[in-house]
Amino acid sequence: MATTERPLLSAKLAQFGTTIFAQMSELALRTGAINLGQGFPDTDGPPEIIEAAVEALRGGQNQYAPGPGIPALREAIAAHQRRFYRLDPDPDGEVLVTTGATEAVAAALLGLCDPGDEIITFEPYYDSYAACIALAGATRRPITLRPPGYSVDPDAFAAAFTARTRAVLLNSPHNPTGKVFTRQELELIAAHCRERGVLAICDEVYEHLVFDGRDHVPLATLPGMAERTLTISSAGKTFSFTGWKIGWATGPRALVAAVQTAKQFLTFTSGAPLQPAIAYALGLPDAYFESFRAGMQAKRDRLCAGLEAAGLDVFRPDGTYFVTADIRPLGEQDGHAFCLRLPERAGVVAVPTVVFYDDKEVGRPLIRFAFCKRDEIIDEAAARLARLHG
Ligand SMILES: Cc1ncc(COP(=O)(O)O)c(C=O)c1O
């Protein structure tokens, strides 16, 4: 293979090594530490959803599903959008089933961007965004969110737009900060998109994890936004089946068609027997969504209390299943170095938020913990962390 000096990894991906989640989960496995790094629940979702998948597996739904997804799932996604947000996508052409939200984001960027286009996104950003923007030949324009409030600076946001701006890529509720964009911030984003004829791509995978009585407000519900917004979500977080990778994108026909054009050459289709199970899941009564949210809010409170007791400066999240904290009260400065040593020092894995920032100075002292874990695991992790300053 060493016949040329050219690196094997394409230049587009040269700056993207192994994801931090894989690195940290590997560290957790190797050291036996409690993994509060990667965002996956340590319990399965409702057994009746599993039964629905088993029935589909036994019932012969094991060949390729249609490219856009099985009709029952597209109808269930449309019904979910109507029920929770009064959005009314046509299951035939305005709903696309994808391999998780990850593929929906990738296909959106690949399907909608030309080389040289610019994508405005908010840092710290979910790590696949930067890689997919690069794969699409586009450039990212990050808007920096800073603790404690992680609020959007309207001037910085306005200044990020250029003639090449193709889309704003928004994630609310936001990973890794747990921020839920306020209505005022959403209105600011919508106003700029409308005025400048820019698209919005909204990753809403944590739509059912908004706490303290707040509501999730899809950007697509703001005036003039339905016609320019692609809304993305997935079953992984909402039903605690992150390994199933059933996601979707909804929006105007032409936008969805562009995404589907890219998607058909990525996976074409996936998860045939899981699709009917998620169709069933999306139809669960409101009580399911309520108790899921309440349960996760209690876990947020539990982990935040534990982190505070351990001496960290905690930024209490309004949504998602993540909390960020500043390590400086512990006399530490560098979150990356801290997280690499944490399994050995305390038997806990966390993720350094700096990897999601282009502005490394802002991210340096911040780390992220996931609280989608059993109570006894959260308590044990908190007890171990408390020994750090003991
Ligand atoms: C903001 C965000 N988008 C997308 C994903 C991935 O979703 P999926 O597993 O459905 O591909 C995640 C998972 O952590 C996420 O946090």
mmCIF file of all heavy atoms in Angstrom, residues 36 70 94 103 105 174 180 204 218 248 287 313 343 351 359:
data_model
loop_
_atom_site.group_PDB
_atom_site.id
_atom_site.type_symbol
_atom_site.label_atom_id
_atom_site.label_comp_id
_atom_site.label_asym_id
_atom_site.label_seq_id
_atom_site.Cartn_x
_atom_site.Cartn_y
_atom_site.Cartn_z
ATOM 1 N N LEU A 36 -20.484 7.228 31.584
ATOM 2 C CA LEU A 36 -21.440 8.334 31.435
ATOM 3 C C LEU A 36 -21.013 9.195 30.245
ATOM 4 O O LEU A 36 -21.356 10.367 30.140
ATOM 5 C CB LEU A 36 -21.512 9.182 32.708
ATOM 6 C CG LEU A 36 -21.928 8.465 33.999
ATOM 7 C CD1 LEU A 36 -22.138 9.466 35.132
ATOM 8 C CD2 LEU A 36 -23.196 7.639 33.808
ATOM 9 N N ILE A 70 -41.644 2.073 5.122
ATOM 10 C CA ILE A 70 -42.936 1.399 4.924
ATOM 11 C C ILE A 70 -44.062 2.412 5.159
ATOM 12 O O ILE A 70 -43.924 3.327 5.985
ATOM 13 C CB ILE A 70 -43.107 0.164 5.843
ATOM 14 C CG1 ILE A 70 -43.078 0.553 7.325
ATOM 15 C CG2 ILE A 70 -42.057 -0.905 5.542
ATOM 16 C CD1 ILE A 70 -43.562 -0.539 8.259
ATOM 17 N N GLU A 94 -43.584 13.670 1.797
ATOM 18 C CA GLU A 94 -43.066 14.659 2.751
ATOM 19 C C GLU A 94 -42.504 14.000 4.015
ATOM 20 O O GLU A 94 -42.198 14.678 4.991
ATOM 21 C CB GLU A 94 -44.160 15.683 3.106
ATOM 22 C CG GLU A 94 -44.580 16.502 1.881
ATOM 23 C CD GLU A 94 -45.596 17.585 2.188
ATOM 24 O OE1 GLU A 94 -46.356 17.467 3.176
ATOM 25 O OE2 GLU A 94 -45.638 18.555 1.411
ATOM 26 N N GLU A 103 -28.132 9.421 9.505
ATOM 27 C CA GLU A 103 -28.188 9.365 8.043
ATOM 28 C C GLU A 103 -29.030 10.506 7.485
ATOM 29 O O GLU A 103 -28.733 11.033 6.406
ATOM 30 C CB GLU A 103 -28.761 8.035 7.561
ATOM 31 C CG GLU A 103 -28.610 7.919 6.047
ATOM 32 C CD GLU A 103 -29.446 6.819 5.428
ATOM 33 O OE1 GLU A 103 -30.581 6.571 5.888
ATOM 34 O OE2 GLU A 103 -28.967 6.209 4.458
ATOM 35 N N VAL A 105 -29.242 13.525 8.634
ATOM 36 C CA VAL A 105 -28.389 14.721 8.606
ATOM 37 C C VAL A 105 -27.397 14.614 7.443
ATOM 38 O O VAL A 105 -27.209 15.562 6.659
ATOM 39 C CB VAL A 105 -27.627 14.899 9.950
ATOM 40 C CG1 VAL A 105 -26.557 15.973 9.840
ATOM 41 C CG2 VAL A 105 -28.615 15.233 11.073
ATOM 42 N N HIS A 174 -30.449 20.594 22.582
ATOM 43 C CA HIS A 174 -29.100 20.600 22.031
ATOM 44 C C HIS A 174 -28.135 19.681 22.775
ATOM 45 O O HIS A 174 -27.997 19.764 23.998
ATOM 46 C CB HIS A 174 -28.592 22.050 22.095
ATOM 47 C CG HIS A 174 -27.231 22.273 21.548
ATOM 48 N ND1 HIS A 174 -26.121 22.392 22.349
ATOM 49 C CD2 HIS A 174 -26.793 22.401 20.276
ATOM 50 C CE1 HIS A 174 -25.053 22.605 21.583
ATOM 51 N NE2 HIS A 174 -25.433 22.602 20.329
ATOM 52 N N VAL A 180 -32.223 24.194 25.498
ATOM 53 C CA VAL A 180 -33.406 24.235 24.645
ATOM 54 C C VAL A 180 -33.494 25.663 24.121
ATOM 55 O O VAL A 180 -33.573 26.611 24.914
ATOM 56 C CB VAL A 180 -34.673 23.860 25.447
ATOM 57 C CG1 VAL A 180 -35.917 24.041 24.599
ATOM 58 C CG2 VAL A 180 -34.565 22.411 25.943
ATOM 59 N N GLU A 204 -33.985 17.196 15.795
ATOM 60 C CA GLU A 204 -34.830 17.263 17.000
ATOM 61 C C GLU A 204 -34.922 15.906 17.687
ATOM 62 O O GLU A 204 -35.978 15.528 18.202
ATOM 63 C CB GLU A 204 -36.214 17.813 16.607
ATOM 64 C CG GLU A 204 -36.076 19.167 15.913
ATOM 65 C CD GLU A 204 -37.384 19.880 15.573
ATOM 66 O OE1 GLU A 204 -38.458 19.332 15.836
ATOM 67 O OE2 GLU A 204 -37.287 21.007 15.036
ATOM 68 N N PRO A 218 -40.777 23.035 17.438
ATOM 69 C CA PRO A 218 -40.041 22.850 16.181
ATOM 70 C C PRO A 218 -39.954 24.172 15.414
ATOM 71 O O PRO A 218 -40.943 24.914 15.342
ATOM 72 C CB PRO A 218 -40.896 21.843 15.399
ATOM 73 C CG PRO A 218 -41.765 21.175 16.414
ATOM 74 C CD PRO A 218 -42.005 22.217 17.478
ATOM 75 N N TRP A 248 -35.936 9.689 10.779
ATOM 76 C CA TRP A 248 -36.780 10.214 9.710
ATOM 77 C C TRP A 248 -36.532 11.697 9.473
ATOM 78 O O TRP A 248 -35.971 12.394 10.327
ATOM 79 C CB TRP A 248 -38.264 9.984 9.998
ATOM 80 C CG TRP A 248 -38.718 10.439 11.353
ATOM 81 C CD1 TRP A 248 -39.113 11.697 11.711
ATOM 82 C CD2 TRP A 248 -38.822 9.632 12.539
ATOM 83 N NE1 TRP A 248 -39.462 11.721 13.043
ATOM 84 C CE2 TRP A 248 -39.296 10.464 13.569
ATOM 85 C CE3 TRP A 248 -38.572 8.286 12.821
ATOM 86 C CZ2 TRP A 248 -39.510 9.989 14.863
ATOM 87 C CZ3 TRP A 248 -38.784 7.820 14.115
ATOM 88 C CH2 TRP A 248 -39.255 8.668 15.103
ATOM 89 N N ALA A 287 -49.406 9.282 27.761
ATOM 90 C CA ALA A 287 -48.861 8.900 29.069
ATOM 91 C C ALA A 287 -47.449 8.338 28.923
ATOM 92 O O ALA A 287 -46.594 8.555 29.792
ATOM 93 C CB ALA A 287 -49.778 7.870 29.725
ATOM 94 N N ASP A 313 -18.825 22.740 38.708
ATOM 95 C CA ASP A 313 -19.742 23.833 38.397
ATOM 96 C C ASP A 313 -20.692 23.305 37.315
ATOM 97 O O ASP A 313 -20.280 23.102 36.170
ATOM 98 C CB ASP A 313 -18.914 25.024 37.876
ATOM 99 C CG ASP A 313 -19.737 26.277 37.762
ATOM 100 O OD1 ASP A 313 -20.922 26.253 38.168
ATOM 101 O OD2 ASP A 313 -19.203 27.281 37.255
ATOM 102 N N PRO A 343 -11.210 7.744 34.250
ATOM 103 C CA PRO A 343 -11.498 6.328 34.538
ATOM 104 C C PRO A 343 -10.550 5.760 35.591
ATOM 105 O O PRO A 343 -10.988 5.034 36.484
ATOM 106 C CB PRO A 343 -11.287 5.643 33.184
ATOM 107 C CG PRO A 343 -11.489 6.720 32.176
ATOM 108 C CD PRO A 343 -10.982 7.977 32.825
ATOM 109 N N VAL A 351 -17.154 12.876 28.710
ATOM 110 C CA VAL A 351 -16.656 13.298 27.392
ATOM 111 C C VAL A 351 -16.209 14.757 27.470
ATOM 112 O O VAL A 351 -16.943 15.597 28.009
ATOM 113 C CB VAL A 351 -17.772 13.128 26.334
ATOM 114 C CG1 VAL A 351 -17.424 13.856 25.061
ATOM 115 C CG2 VAL A 351 -18.007 11.657 26.040
ATOM 116 N N ASP A 359 -13.833 26.748 18.740
ATOM 117 C CA ASP A 359 -13.194 27.700 19.656
ATOM 118 C C ASP A 359 -12.746 26.920 20.904
ATOM 119 O O ASP A 359 -13.500 26.743 21.866
ATOM 120 C CB ASP A 359 -14.194 28.796 20.034
ATOM 121 C CG ASP A 359 -13.535 29.901 20.852
ATOM 122 O OD1 ASP A 359 -12.516 29.617 21.534
ATOM 123 O OD2 ASP A 359 -14.048 31.031 20.816
#
